[in-house]
Amino acid sequence: MKRKATINDVAKAAGVSKGLVSFAFNDRPGVSPDTRDRILTVARELDYRPSLSARSLSTRTSYAFGLVIARDPEILGADPFFPSFIAGVERVLLQEGRALVLSVVADEQHEATVYRTLTADARVDGVFITDLRHDDSRIPLLRELGMPAVTLGRPEGSHAGDPDAFPAVSLDDTPGIVAAAQHLIDLGHRRIAHVIGPRRMLHATRRNAAFAATLEAAGLPADLVIETDFTAAQGASATETLLDLAEPPTAVVYGNDPMAIAGIGVAHERGLRLPDDLSITGFDDSELARYVYPALTSVRTDPLAWGEAAAHALLRLTTTGVAADIDLEPARVITRASTGPVRA
Amino acid sequence: MKRKATINDVAKAAGVSKGLVSFAFNDRPGVSPDTRDRILTVARELDYRPSLSARSLSTRTSYAFGLVIARDPEILGADPFFPSFIAGVERVLLQEGRALVLSVVADEQHEATVYRTLTADARVDGVFITDLRHDDSRIPLLRELGMPAVTLGRPEGSHAGDPDAFPAVSLDDTPGIVAAAQHLIDLGHRRIAHVIGPRRMLHATRRNAAFAATLEAAGLPADLVIETDFTAAQGASATETLLDLAEPPTAVVYGNDPMAIAGIGVAHERGLRLPDDLSITGFDDSELARYVYPALTSVRTDPLAWGEAAAHALLRLTTTGVAADIDLEPARVITRASTGPVRA
DNA sequence: GGGGGGATCTAAACCGGTATAGCTTTGGCC
DNA sequence: GGCCAAAGCTATACCGGTTTAGATCCCCCC
């Protein structure tokens, strides 16, 4: 196994100083076209690749981005968002010679430790902030640490184009929820429940606000709201609670597909017929949604595109120092057999 | 924002040479207890942390491990294995000051490129090999690249304790499949189908061999085997195919939970009653299994423990140069309502 | 012919650690 | 007292890049 060629080998072979090789490799002015060609040719012949760690030491740059996920692995396992999001991120980073450092932690206590460690070790040049929360502690923390970041969605209290805020890459999910609710209203439903994710998560309350506004615009009360932790278990028990009501809903909107599928399970367990006795919608449009019985009406987002956009934004932010906010195609509802007209 | 303290600052403040500080920090002999204490105290006061990139450059070590997943994001999103596995890995690495570099690629072509890049950039000190395949190209590739690795399960053709092979961390899944098949046989089923994952994956054929052996030991044919790509879509279409047979099976064993749940969907779509008309089992025992209707009998493994064990093994391999094979608690079947006696 | 001035290039410092050769100091032993 | 070895420590090279100060050269122009 031959030793890897270094910049010194290239410099020697090309008969120039190593500084000049560095210049040539970084497209900096002050290298004559002839010399540049010669250097690059020699480098190719020697199969030279600049050493990442040497570069990191010299430039204080790690050429990697971080993603810290604070979720229980059980929930993550059923969640189609992250794999697709990561695949999208990866697609961009691979080409740019960047790597993705992933951390999965159970609670938000460890989360802060991980961010501090990533920063202290200069392990990453920037991070993605997913699952924004109310009064999100990560924002001031990363500010304090001086770690660049991109948020998925806009944090509370930050207005579009705020120059002090981290760049936000947003995919508006409210049109999807509004469409789902309106779809149910159009089918004649008058009592529609909403089983949402944890309230401390921004998207849970934002979606619920959109849901409530849609119902109220139709003159309906939006009082049947149950908060869960996004697990199928809590989706199931929320459904039990709803169906046990004196006046149970005729339709339930769930915050994710696993909860909706668990809701279908509970309804079937009770001998209800879907969608005749109960209409159900999910969120995320996971692959499974199409194949459960009845096929699940769900709200589709595009996590892959989200990942790509976020990666581009973070790349721009860390290289140029600024990055504009990005708005992606909003979520939309995919109608399937789990929703139908309310029984006469 | 004050500049981070370096080893030189500590050396100066403690009145010693920087070499000695390095020695003190790496618990090497040749430092008197008094001096060591003084150095460590001063370091704490200055909030000194050794620079990762400087260390990397000097030691040719990245203090990170890699995980390359070659799966379609759609499938990954429904798969409970990886999030839990990663959480297990992480739990070990965090304490050891290591990071996890993740790559999700769509096909096995890109896979090789990613491994080459990770190696050329010395981005990681070792990798985890999951989803072993027949004649797995990653093994010779990583050998050639000189990249340490740990395999999940033992590769083909390598015997226990092979000193030339990568350390294997195994969780035997055959007892789970055998138990599932036997469970169905005990319930009186005589025509049992197996919907398996891609045949090029080692675990798919291994599980099918265990399945076939169990049926044959009971004097039953094991001829109903359908290969899929692990998607719910193909799980559904395999189920269609089976139910369209002149003599359809009375029970189906699926290679993962999403396919089994899709199978339930197809059966319900056709008006079959479960488990009276058809018994169904899954694999992985995802959280959702318990909450679908009927609750899904599934085979449970422990991906979290698998991740921890694999991380420990890779840590040992990269630091000491050797690591013993590890065998974890085998998989077992969790019986639920989706399996029942065959109809008289 | 001499004096800018820009382009091209070199030498050397620097990033922050690790590793090694060698210098003191101390203590044991004859 | 003298010799030797081990312990404790320093000085310095080294890892492989980037960056800066300054040297050299060439061309143009007065």
Side-chain angles (χ1 to χ4, degrees):
Chain A
M1 171 121 33
K2 58 183 186 307
R3 204 176 52 83
K4 265 196 63 176
T6 74
I7 198 171
N8 277 309
D9 302 330
V10 176
K12 212 162 295 172
V16 296
S17 70
K18 70 171 183 169
L20 205 60
V21 176
S22 175
F23 275 38
F25 260 80
N26 295 297
D27 308 304
R28 292 166 58 133
V31 187
S32 78
D34 285 8
T35 314
R36 170 187 312 276
D37 283 353
R38 184 155 42 92
I39 291 174
L40 296 181
T41 305
V42 166
R44 199 166 315 112
E45 279 164 6
L46 294 179
D47 194 26
Y48 166 72
R49 292 194 45 134
S51 147
L52 197 74
S53 33
R55 240 145 82 90
S56 294
L57 177 59
S58 201
T59 60
R60 300 155 183 288
T61 301
S62 64
Y63 304 96
F65 293 139
L67 175 60
V68 181
I69 307 180
R71 280 206 192 185
D72 190 296
E74 280 272 283
I75 306 171
L76 257 188
D79 186 34
F81 175 80
F82 281 102
S84 294
F85 175 77
I86 290 173
V89 167
E90 204 74 26
R91 192 177 285 184
V92 175
L93 296 196
L94 276 185
Q95 293 181 322
E96 302 286 337
R98 256 79 171 179
L100 180 69
V101 171
L102 178 72
S103 236
V104 175
V105 295
D107 54 72
E108 300 173 11
Q109 174 64 28
H110 287 84
E111 190 186 57
T113 312
V114 170
Y115 280 120
R116 288 185 185 284
T117 307
L118 287 177
T119 307
D121 290 350
R123 188 72 90 160
V124 299
D125 303 328
V127 297
F128 301 100
I129 305 183
T130 64
D131 284 334
L132 274 177
R133 302 185 291 258
H134 287 283
D135 221 353
D136 203 310
S137 59
R138 292 171 291 182
I139 309 240
L141 173 62
L142 292 169
R143 272 276 169 251
E144 173 203 329
L145 296 172
M147 174 66 71
V150 159
T151 59
L152 265 60
R154 226 183 296 282
E156 264 175 328
S158 110
H159 50 279
D162 183 342
D164 290 338
F166 290 129
V169 180
S170 311
L171 190 157
D172 191 358
D173 47 10
T174 55
I177 283 292
V178 167
Q182 191 60 51
H183 167 62
L184 292 169
I185 293 169
D186 293 347
L187 288 168
H189 294 275
R190 290 295 168 264
R191 211 155 157 62
I192 308 174
H194 197 191
V195 176
I196 63 175
R199 275 222 157 80
R200 68 174 190 292
M201 290 191 179
L202 225 52
H203 54 66
T205 48
R206 185 183 50 227
R207 287 190 214 155
N208 190 48
F211 169 83
T214 309
L215 262 61
E216 278 152 19
L220 303 174
D223 51 342
L224 293 181
V225 179
I226 299 188
E227 179 182 1
T228 69
D229 64 359
F230 265 146
T231 57
Q234 295 206 3
S237 72
T239 310
E240 302 274 10
T241 305
L242 289 170
L243 295 180
D244 281 340
L245 290 176
E247 204 181 339
T250 62
V252 184
V253 172
Y254 291 84
N256 68 8
D257 282 358
M259 292 201 296
I261 294 172
I264 292 178
V266 167
H268 277 155
E269 194 83 51
R270 296 188 171 213
L272 299 182
R273 296 183 53 85
L274 271 53
D276 301 339
D277 297 324
L278 185 69
S279 281
I280 281 180
T281 72
F283 196 100
D284 279 339
D285 193 32
S286 47
E287 200 224 345
L288 199 48
R290 183 189 304 262
Y291 298 102
V292 294
Y293 179 79
L296 184 65
T297 292
S298 192
V299 175
R300 181 182 296 177
T301 63
D302 190 346
L304 201 88
W306 215 347
E308 290 184 353
H312 276 130
L314 193 49
L315 214 42
R316 195 158 321 128
L317 179 64
T318 52
T319 51
T320 72
V322 287
D325 287 358
I326 303 180
D327 285 287
L328 301 170
E329 198 73 13
R332 65 184 206 279
V333 69
I334 308 290
T335 309
R336 299 205 183 87
S338 70
T339 45
V342 71
R343 200 150 53 164
Chain B
M1 170 120 33
K2 58 183 186 309
R3 201 177 53 84
K4 264 195 64 173
T6 75
I7 197 171
N8 277 310
D9 302 330
V10 176
K12 212 161 295 172
V16 297
S17 71
K18 69 170 185 170
L20 206 60
V21 176
S22 174
F23 276 36
F25 261 81
N26 294 298
D27 305 306
R28 293 167 59 129
V31 187
S32 79
D34 285 6
T35 314
R36 172 188 310 278
D37 282 355
R38 184 156 40 92
I39 291 174
L40 295 182
T41 305
V42 166
R44 199 166 317 113
E45 279 165 7
L46 294 179
D47 196 26
Y48 165 71
R49 292 195 45 135
S51 147
L52 196 75
S53 34
R55 240 144 81 89
S56 295
L57 176 59
S58 200
T59 60
R60 301 155 181 288
T61 301
S62 65
Y63 304 96
F65 293 139
L67 175 60
V68 181
I69 306 180
R71 282 206 191 183
D72 189 296
E74 280 271 285
I75 307 171
L76 257 190
D79 185 15
F81 175 80
F82 280 103
S84 293
F85 175 78
I86 290 173
V89 167
E90 204 73 26
R91 192 177 286 186
V92 175
L93 296 195
L94 275 185
Q95 293 182 322
E96 302 287 337
R98 258 79 173 176
L100 180 69
V101 171
L102 178 73
S103 238
V104 175
V105 296
D107 55 73
E108 301 174 11
Q109 172 65 28
H110 287 83
E111 191 186 56
T113 312
V114 170
Y115 280 120
R116 289 186 184 285
T117 307
L118 287 177
T119 308
D121 290 351
R123 188 72 88 159
V124 299
D125 303 327
V127 297
F128 301 99
I129 306 184
T130 63
D131 286 332
L132 274 177
R133 305 186 288 258
H134 288 282
D135 223 351
D136 202 312
S137 59
R138 289 171 293 180
I139 310 245
L141 173 62
L142 292 168
R143 273 274 169 254
E144 174 204 328
L145 296 173
M147 174 65 72
V150 159
T151 58
L152 266 57
R154 225 183 295 285
E156 264 176 327
S158 109
H159 49 281
D162 184 342
D164 290 337
F166 289 128
V169 180
S170 309
L171 190 156
D172 190 359
D173 48 8
T174 54
I177 283 292
V178 167
Q182 192 60 51
H183 167 61
L184 293 169
I185 293 170
D186 293 346
L187 288 168
H189 293 276
R190 292 293 168 264
R191 213 156 156 62
I192 309 174
H194 198 191
V195 176
I196 64 175
R199 274 220 158 80
R200 68 175 190 291
M201 290 192 178
L202 226 50
H203 55 64
T205 48
R206 185 181 53 226
R207 286 189 214 157
N208 191 47
F211 170 83
T214 308
L215 261 61
E216 276 152 19
L220 303 175
D223 52 341
L224 292 181
V225 178
I226 298 186
E227 180 182 0
T228 68
D229 64 358
F230 267 144
T231 57
Q234 295 206 1
S237 72
T239 310
E240 303 273 10
T241 305
L242 289 169
L243 295 180
D244 281 340
L245 291 176
E247 202 180 341
T250 61
V252 184
V253 171
Y254 292 85
N256 67 9
D257 282 358
M259 292 200 297
I261 294 172
I264 292 177
V266 168
H268 277 154
E269 193 84 51
R270 293 186 173 216
L272 299 182
R273 295 182 55 85
L274 272 52
D276 302 339
D277 298 324
L278 185 69
S279 281
I280 281 181
T281 73
F283 196 103
D284 280 340
D285 193 30
S286 47
E287 201 225 344
L288 199 48
R290 183 191 301 263
Y291 299 102
V292 293
Y293 179 79
L296 184 65
T297 293
S298 190
V299 175
R300 179 182 298 176
T301 63
D302 190 347
L304 201 88
W306 214 348
E308 290 184 353
H312 276 130
L314 193 49
L315 214 43
R316 196 160 318 128
L317 178 65
T318 51
T319 52
T320 72
V322 287
D325 287 358
I326 302 180
D327 285 288
L328 300 170
E329 199 71 14
R332 66 184 206 279
V333 69
I334 307 290
T335 309
R336 299 205 184 88
S338 70
T339 47
V342 71
R343 202 152 51 167

